[in-house]
Each structure stands twice: as structure tokens, then as C-alpha cells.
Amino acid sequence: MQLTQKHQEYWSKNLRITSILLFIWFVVTFVVSYFARDLSFNFFGWPFAFYMGAQGALIIYVVIIWYYARYMNNLDRAYGVQEGEDE
Amino acid sequence: MATPVTPVKSGMPEPRAGTGGVFSAGSQKDFNSQLKKVYTFYTGGFLAFVVVLAIAEQMGLPRNWIGYIFLVATVGLYAGIGVMSRTSDAAEYYVAGRRVPALFNGMATGADWMSAASFIGMAGTLYLTGYNGLAFIMGWTGGYCLVALFLAPYLRKFGQFTIPDFLGARYGGNIPRSVGVIAAILCSFTYVVAQIYGVGLITTRLTGVPFELGIFLGLGGILVCSFLGGMRAVTWTQVAQYIILIIAYLIPVVWLAVKATGIPLPQVVYGKVLESVTAREEEFIKDPKEQEVRKMFTDRAAAASAQLKDVDRSFTTGQAALKSALDKAKADQASPESLAAAERAVAAYPKDAAAAKAMWTKDAGSAGRGAPMLRHAEAFPGATEEARDVSRRNFLALVFCLMVGTAALPHILMRYYTTPSVRQARESVFWSLFFIFLLYFTAPALAVLVKYDIYSFLVGSPFAQLPQWVASWQSVDPSLLSIADVNGDGIVQRAEISIGGDIVVLATPEIAGLPYVVSGLVAAGGLAAALSTADGLLLTIANALSHDFYYKMLDPNASTARRVTLSKMLLLVVALAAAWVASQKPADILFLVSAAFSLAAAAFFPALTLGIFWKRANKWGATLGMIAGLGITFYYMATTQPWLRSVFGVTSPIADHIWWGIQPISAGLWGVPLGFAVIIIVSLLTPAPDRETRDLVEHVRYPNITGDTMVTEGT
């Protein structure tokens, strides 16, 4: 099959959003945990690092996946690679 | 889709397999709204059932009856769904006809994912290890980001039946597929053994039958869901199981939050409770009575270790010393009290060297109870800077392995083949994590609330007035809960309580003072969690054997009916084999489960992601990369994990094999990067993949592309 300029653009936009979201995922998970001992200021009762591990990071993960699904489903339509109606 | 129509005795034609009953409808839209109706009705019905049982309990229904009713009602329900969803159509059997809407696939994935370990074990782990236990919370949720960004939409577009299917098609030939089949079976089998073990345990607790019988009763529960209807039946029972398990998890925690703070939102308010727990911990650390108990444990452990150096000699000298003390007391005509004490000491002494060894080993094991107290909220505790560093390194490594492992476990990835479209596959990952999140962000709250309850009400109370739940759990199983007055002051010290992880969830209803019906509900929830995961895993193994091994490699001309029948037979065989292994009570079952994550991560993640994101990756790179990743992960475990060391007869000291202080559970930390490196290097050294393979990669990258000649099976 022949890929057009538009297809290439769709794919590079996909790679861009994937990298951005992956970077956020990495910071929330590994950078915050690495500095957990220093990030122990009080955050509504929790030490901040504990809150992040128990709740904050999880909320961000859910948002990352929600945003990716929304962004890509719109991108599909904008670049005409969406599927037929399925609902 | 070729579907055999079997005539039945009455002469009436049977409805086409896979189209009858509630779990099918005309258009996708009708199907979706019908499902919503059915499951809303179901949830209401289940809640009503619990309320009726609660009323019956107040009116005097005996406790063991409540256990039986829960067991029979829930398993009967799953069986009903299983029978209604029976099918012999390949697409229905392997991928539920690819018509599972995003929301419901999310719930099914949630139940598939959350095992007995998540439901029962996790809050206990958090209770026992504090901050370090959060590695499981983050690892088992953050992995879904990788599923969403790297795998789910592309696998859905690829649209075959199994994960080895993708390896076979992308890398060409049977070798990558076979490695995939072996890896899939390796990680799924160890995992399913643990689930069946959990099922046996819960059935036993719910009804009081012996453990072995419990396993086989539970096995019946697993098979009724998956045997007749494959993925289709498993999907719809998993949705039902998710609803039960989440209700069962939330009710006691909400109650406990009301008890501690007056607000029914445990996840929001436990920050304040954690502050009180931390304050209590500081008191315990300074309290001289607590210090006394901890020192007694340390001394006892040190003495026992010394005795263990030469068991026979310590046994005889110990016995002789006591006997001579008794003789001396008799000769000196000591007071009757000291004479009686000396007699008791002789009588209490172990009968022989073996008994003495057992006693000393147990005492030596109590060294941990004398260790400095853990602060729940402190990250990476340790006496020295170096110990803290190793603790941090292991925390990060474990998070990494659990995350990548999540994004590589075949029974989870397989679920994203079942949605109607790529778009819904993306949304479905969101729903999956959302439904998992509901339980996972509650578990740390539960651990803190239970700790608060124990620290403020149990510790400091006199031994004469222990709460009712303590006595009942102590008699069930002393390894789960034992409280002994070590220093003899008649008051419970924190260090005198020994608690097993599993009790935290199971005993919460009693700690919160809820009626017994809630305990039954929690057990039913744990059962739902274990059954649903076991079903997904069994299906993965049976499909890898019947679809990938038999159909794709041995007999490509096999008819649909034959493949599905074979898959059902294999399911039965694998289930029986797993039940047999579980009934042997393998010692290191928890380690095996965590090992499955490292093994899956190293075997699948590099080959799957590079297969999608790097066109140049080829057959030899993928094959060798998977073998290298699996190999090094397995090697590291075999040389550093005590049980595997004994299996493989490794005798050189562990310290020689440990790299960088990393625990064997996180062996995937070496396997994943090595897998990537080998795939990249070997692929570049060998010829690029052919045109067809490059077309396949483009095919999976775009949900819909003009000029695409590939079609997805079963849509």
C-alpha cells in the first residue's frame, strides 16, 4: 500500500503525543519516587510522596489514557483514517 | 463464519450457536443498551440479595448457612451466564465475536486483572510494609499507560486471536510463535496455580470443607464459566464478577471510614487518619514497654540462633542443665513454688533434638519482630544511607518490572482483541484502568484505617478484654493473627501483635463491627476475583496450545469445530493439572506470581513494541531477543532466589550473584533492556524484513487505510 504525505503526518503526530504522555508517565512514576524522601511535606495530611504513590500517580495515569484515547480518536477523523460506524 | 447446526431430538432446529440469549442482539447499538439494562438490573438484584440475607441474619439465620448461600448463589450465577453464552463458533469462542463495548470490556479486564492477590493480599502488604508496598499500587496501574500507548490499539487493528499470533505474523514463521507460546504458558501457568490455590482457601473459609475439596469445588466454578463458551462466556461472567468484587471491597472500607472520621469517603479522609497513625508510631517508638518487648524478641532470636549452631549438643546441655537445676532444688529442699517451676521447665523442654530445632528455628525467625518499628509513611526506611539507597533502587526496579509486565501479560492483552473497533480499544483501556483504579486507590486507605483501628483500640487494652474478632481469628489460624503477652504486664503492646497480610481484608468487616453477612460478601468478592483471573489465564493457555500450536503449526486445515472442541478439551486438562499442582501447596507461590511479571516483561514487551514501532525489526532479532530476555531473567532468579536455588542446586553464595542489590522478584530489570538491545543489534546485522511484513506494520498503525488488502478475521 502507498502511504501519502498525510499518513506520514498522522503517524508523526501520534509519535509526538505518545512521547509527551510517556514523559509525564516517567516523571510521575520514577522521578517523584526517586526523590520520595525529600518530598515529604504535608499534603492535606499525607506526606506528598506517599500521596503521589497511593493516589496522585494513579489519577494522572487515568487522565493520560483518557486524553490519549480522545486525542487519537479525533486525529483519526481529522486525517480520514477512522473506521466505519461501530455503534 | 461457518457454524454447524446440530439437530436436536425434538426436531426443532437449535438456534445458531453464539446468537441466542441475552448476550447477543442485532446492531451494536441495541446490544450496548441491552447490556446496560441487563447489568443494571443485575447490580440491583445483587444488592437486594445481600439486604435480604442481612435481614435473614437478624432473624437468626446461622452463619455457616450464609457462607453456603453466598457460595452457591454466586457460582450458580456464573454458571448460568456460562451456559447462556455457550458457543462453538471460532470468533465467538476466541474473541467473543469482537463486539464487547469499551465500557464492558473495561469491567471484564478489571476482573481479569484483579486476582486474589489484589483483592486479599494487597491491602495486607500495604499494612505490613507501608510506603514500600506502594510499588504494587503504582506498578499494577501505571502499566496500563504502556498498554494504551504502545499495544492495545495496534493489536486490535491486527485483530487475530492470540498474542503469539502477532509474533508469528509480524516476524514470520513458527520459531517466534513457538517462543511466544512457551513464554505465554510459562507465565500464565504459575499465575493460574496461585489463583486456584486462592479459590481453595476462600471456599474452605466460606464453608468449612477441607482444602483439597475446596480446590476442586472452586475448579468446578472456574470451568462452568469458560468451558462451554470460551472468551464469550468468560467476558460476560467477568463483568458480573467485577460488580460483585467492587461492591464487596468498598462496603467495609466505607464503614471503617465512618467509624474513624464520620465521613463515608475513605479515599479522601485517610490523610488525616494517617497523621494520627504517624503520631501513634512516634509514641510506640519511645514507649519503654514497647522497647522492652522488642528487646525480648531480639534476645530470644539471638539465643535461638546460637543454639541452632549445634542442635544436638545444645539440646543435651540444655536438658541436663534443667534436670540438674531440678535435682538441686530437691536436694536444697527449696520452696514448693520454685520446685514446681523447675518441674514445669523440665516438662516444657522439647522431647527430642528435632523438636528443639523446630522451636529454635521459630524463635530465630522472630528476629524481625524485635527490629525497629516501621513508620507507615516513611519512604525507603533503612539504618544507613546505603541501606536506604538499596531500598529505593529495589522500589524503582519493582515498579518498572510490574509495569512492563502488566503491558506484556497475554491474558490482559488478549482482551483488547474483543472490542468492535480500534477506537473502542483505546477507550476500553481507559475504562479498564478506571475500574481497576476504584479498587487500587482504596487499598492504601483500607490499610491505614485498619492500622488506625488496631493502634488506637487494640494496643493498650488489657489482655482480659480483647475484642471478639481477635479471639475468633486467633483460633482460625495463628499464622494470621497471634497476640501473646510477651512481657507479662497484662496490656497489649504493638510489638506483641503478629499479624498476617491476608487478614487485613478478610477481617475488616468484623473489625468495623459489621454483621456476618458482610464477611460472607467479602469472601464472595475474593472468590470472584480469583475465579475471573483463573478463567482468563486458563483460556490463554488452552488457546496458545489449540490455536497457535495445533492449528497454526501442526494442522492448518483443521476445521473450526475441531479447533474449538480441542480447545475445550485442553482447557479441562490444563485446569486439572493446575488444580493438582495447587493441591500440593507449593511453598513459594507468592514468588511465582511476581516472577510471572518479570518473565512476561522480558519475553514479550520488547518484541511486541518494536514489532509495531520499528519496521526494521526482523525474525532473528525478535527470536533471539525474546530468548535472551527470558534467559537472563530466569538465570538471575535461579541464582538469587532461595527456593529456585535449591531446585537448581546452586550452592555458591547469593552475594556473588546479586547485581547492584536488586532482589530476584525484579529480575526483569535486566531482561527487558537486554531484550531490546539484542533485537536491535541482531536485526541490524541480518536482512531487513520483506515487503509484506512492512505492509503489515503499516496496516496496524492506521485504524483504516485505503489500499489496505489485509482483513481482520472474525469481524
Side-chain angles (χ1 to χ4, degrees):
Chain A
M1 72 198 96
Q2 201 53 51
L3 290 185
T4 60
Q5 187 64 38
K6 245 183 142 186
H7 284 133
Q8 311 277 15
E9 215 176 297
Y10 168 87
W11 184 247
S12 61
K13 281 204 166 177
N14 178 14
L15 290 183
R16 208 194 61 179
I17 189 72
T18 304
S19 323
I20 294 172
L21 295 176
L22 197 68
F23 177 75
I24 299 174
W25 167 86
F26 181 83
V27 170
V28 167
T29 310
F30 294 104
V31 177
V32 172
S33 303
Y34 186 87
F35 294 105
R37 285 187 75 85
D38 310 315
L39 296 170
S40 55
F41 57 88
N42 190 309
F43 184 82
F44 298 106
W46 289 272
F48 181 71
F50 188 93
Y51 178 81
M52 284 305 284
Q55 225 171 75
L58 277 63
I59 294 172
I60 295 172
Y61 298 150
V62 174
V63 172
I64 286 177
I65 298 176
W66 171 80
Y67 183 79
Y68 178 75
R70 205 183 80 117
Y71 180 92
M72 286 307 289
N73 289 345
N74 288 334
L75 199 68
D76 284 356
R77 257 183 304 252
Y79 282 82
V81 296
Q82 81 274 28
E83 301 145 295
E85 273 314 297
D86 54 38
E87 276 177 296
Chain B
M1 291 187 290
T3 314
V5 177
T6 341
V8 285
K9 274 181 193 148
S10 64
M12 291 283 289
E14 203 181 36
R16 207 183 125 225
T19 52
V22 202
F23 298 105
S24 52
S27 74
Q28 190 65 36
K29 201 173 170 186
D30 291 346
F31 188 42
N32 204 352
S33 63
Q34 184 178 330
L35 283 172
K36 279 184 185 149
K37 226 180 287 166
V38 168
Y39 282 109
T40 311
F41 184 73
Y42 162 82
T43 310
F46 182 71
L47 288 172
F49 168 75
V50 175
V51 171
V52 168
L53 267 188
I55 295 170
E57 186 189 357
Q58 298 307 314
M59 290 165 64
L61 185 70
R63 285 183 161 205
N64 56 340
W65 274 61
I66 294 178
Y68 279 118
I69 292 175
F70 261 115
L71 186 74
V72 171
T74 55
V75 174
L77 181 87
Y78 308 146
I81 299 176
V83 172
M84 274 199 289
S85 315
R86 67 189 180 279
T87 182
S88 54
D89 179 272
E92 291 284 348
Y93 186 86
Y94 286 119
V95 287
R98 291 195 215 282
R99 39 202 270 127
V100 184
L103 176 84
F104 292 97
N105 194 44
M107 275 196 221
T109 312
D112 202 11
W113 175 242
M114 289 186 281
S115 58
S118 293
F119 190 91
I120 296 176
M122 204 163 54
T125 307
L126 284 158
Y127 180 96
L128 295 174
T129 60
Y131 180 91
N132 279 1
L134 293 177
F136 291 94
I137 298 282
M138 285 166 97
W140 282 344
T141 53
Y144 280 85
C145 290
L146 302 177
V147 175
L149 298 175
F150 292 127
L151 298 164
Y154 309 108
L155 286 175
R156 174 60 193 84
K157 180 65 199 299
F158 171 67
Q160 297 288 321
F161 291 153
T162 67
I163 297 308
D165 259 343
F166 179 79
L167 298 170
R170 168 63 179 82
Y171 294 116
N174 285 339
I175 302 171
R177 188 190 286 272
S178 317
V179 179
V181 169
I182 292 167
I185 293 174
L186 186 69
C187 34
S188 303
F189 192 78
T190 50
Y191 209 156
V192 82
V193 168
Q195 297 313 312
I196 294 182
Y197 186 83
V199 168
L201 218 60
I202 296 166
T203 315
T204 307
R205 200 147 287 159
L206 211 52
T207 60
V209 298
F211 179 75
E212 285 73 16
L213 185 61
I215 282 193
F216 285 92
L217 276 179
L219 191 66
I222 294 169
L223 287 174
V224 291
C225 311
S226 48
F227 182 67
L228 291 171
M231 191 57 146
R232 176 174 141 106
V234 166
T235 303
W236 303 122
T237 41
Q238 279 175 342
V239 176
Q241 284 160 336
Y242 176 79
I243 293 169
I244 291 184
L245 78 85
I246 200 70
I247 292 175
Y249 204 82
L250 292 179
I251 287 181
V253 195
V254 169
W255 201 276
L256 213 50
V258 173
K259 195 179 160 199
T261 64
I263 301 167
L265 289 169
Q267 302 89 346
V268 180
V269 296
Y270 81 96
K272 293 288 167 212
V273 181
L274 182 59
E275 278 184 335
S276 324
V277 168
T278 309
R280 283 292 277 166
E281 282 165 348
E282 295 309 320
E283 288 170 29
F284 293 156
I285 287 168
K286 291 195 196 92
D287 183 4
K289 284 277 181 195
E290 291 283 348
Q291 287 169 352
E292 181 193 345
V293 175
R294 285 200 294 273
K295 188 165 178 318
M296 286 173 80
F297 276 115
T298 314
D299 293 348
R300 193 187 282 183
S305 306
Q307 306 273 46
L308 279 172
K309 284 198 182 107
D310 186 350
V311 176
D312 289 327
R313 226 190 82 202
S314 342
F315 174 71
T316 31
T317 46
Q319 200 175 37
L322 286 178
K323 279 198 177 135
S324 70
L326 180 63
D327 291 344
K328 190 168 178 290
K330 278 180 185 160
D332 295 355
Q333 295 191 332
S335 64
E337 290 87 42
S338 54
L339 199 59
E343 269 168 356
R344 268 204 308 276
V346 173
Y349 198 73
K351 297 274 173 295
D352 49 32
K357 189 179 177 191
M359 188 182 83
W360 290 326
T361 312
K362 190 166 159 270
D363 283 350
S366 67
R369 296 181 66 181
M373 215 185 93
L374 178 101
R375 291 178 177 89
H376 192 84
E378 185 185 355
F380 324 128
T384 60
E385 192 59 39
E386 196 183 346
R388 284 194 286 271
D389 247 13
V390 171
S391 167
R392 169 161 69 187
R393 228 178 286 158
N394 271 298
F395 181 90
L396 296 174
L398 183 58
V399 170
F400 174 82
C401 288
L402 295 176
M403 282 191 175
V404 180
T406 302
L409 278 175
H411 73 287
I412 293 303
L413 296 178
M414 204 168 75
R415 286 232 54 97
Y416 297 102
Y417 280 137
T418 66
T419 59
S421 62
V422 175
R423 217 185 81 199
Q424 295 219 29
R426 291 184 190 126
E427 288 165 4
S428 176
V429 191
F430 160 72
W431 286 115
S432 305
L433 185 59
F434 175 76
F435 289 122
I436 292 166
F437 165 79
L438 288 183
L439 191 143
Y440 276 46
F441 93 129
T442 310
L446 175 58
V448 169
L449 288 166
V450 170
K451 213 168 216 179
Y452 172 78
D453 208 279
I454 286 177
Y455 283 8
S456 18
F457 301 115
L458 187 56
V459 175
S461 64
F463 267 87
Q465 297 165 19
L466 290 179
Q468 177 60 37
W469 64 269
V470 172
S472 65
W473 279 94
Q474 227 169 345
S475 65
V476 171
D477 187 349
S479 72
L480 282 180
L481 182 69
S482 79
I483 305 181
D485 196 0
V486 177
N487 61 352
D489 68 347
I491 302 288
V492 178
Q493 265 84 39
R494 211 264 345 164
E496 288 172 343
I497 306 172
S498 157
I499 207 164
D502 291 349
I503 202 179
V504 173
V505 167
L506 292 175
T508 302
E510 287 155 85
I511 297 174
L514 286 163
Y516 185 77
V517 69
V518 180
S519 302
L521 177 66
V522 168
L527 193 65
L531 288 178
S532 55
T533 307
D535 271 319
L537 290 161
L538 279 179
L539 208 56
T540 305
I541 301 173
N543 292 355
L545 288 170
S546 72
H547 177 78
D548 290 300
F549 185 65
Y550 176 75
Y551 172 55
K552 293 283 180 174
M553 286 155 71
L554 287 185
D555 182 8
N557 298 319
S559 70
T560 309
R562 193 178 163 76
R563 282 151 57 197
V564 172
T565 312
L566 185 75
S567 196
K568 288 180 180 174
M569 291 303 128
L570 281 166
L571 194 76
L572 205 61
V573 173
V574 174
L576 284 172
W580 182 79
V581 176
S583 70
Q584 305 299 306
K585 302 194 181 182
D588 259 309
I589 202 144
L590 267 178
F591 170 76
L592 289 177
V593 172
S594 352
F597 282 83
S598 273
L599 292 172
F604 289 112
F605 192 73
L608 289 176
T609 44
L610 286 178
I612 294 161
F613 286 87
W614 194 44
K615 285 183 195 168
R616 185 67 179 76
N618 68 12
K619 178 181 178 176
W620 292 113
T623 310
L624 292 175
M626 282 160 72
I627 294 174
L630 256 184
I632 195 161
T633 306
F634 200 80
Y635 167 81
Y636 192 74
M637 286 177 182
T639 52
T640 54
Q641 206 273 338
W643 177 71
L644 283 176
R645 278 166 62 90
S646 69
V647 171
F648 290 97
V650 183
T651 48
S652 44
I654 290 187
D656 291 356
H657 298 282
I658 288 274
W659 302 335
W660 218 38
I662 295 294
Q663 295 294 314
I665 183 178
S666 308
L669 185 67
W670 318 118
V672 176
L674 184 76
F676 273 111
V678 170
I679 296 181
I680 292 171
I681 294 168
V682 175
S683 291
L684 289 175
L685 293 176
T686 44
D690 57 14
R691 174 87 221 156
E692 205 183 323
T693 306
R694 293 204 301 277
D695 277 356
L696 173 72
V697 177
E698 274 156 20
H699 167 80
V700 301
R701 285 180 179 183
Y702 301 92
N704 184 14
I705 185 168
T706 43
D708 191 353
T709 48
M710 292 174 197
V711 269
T712 295
E713 211 174 322
T715 42

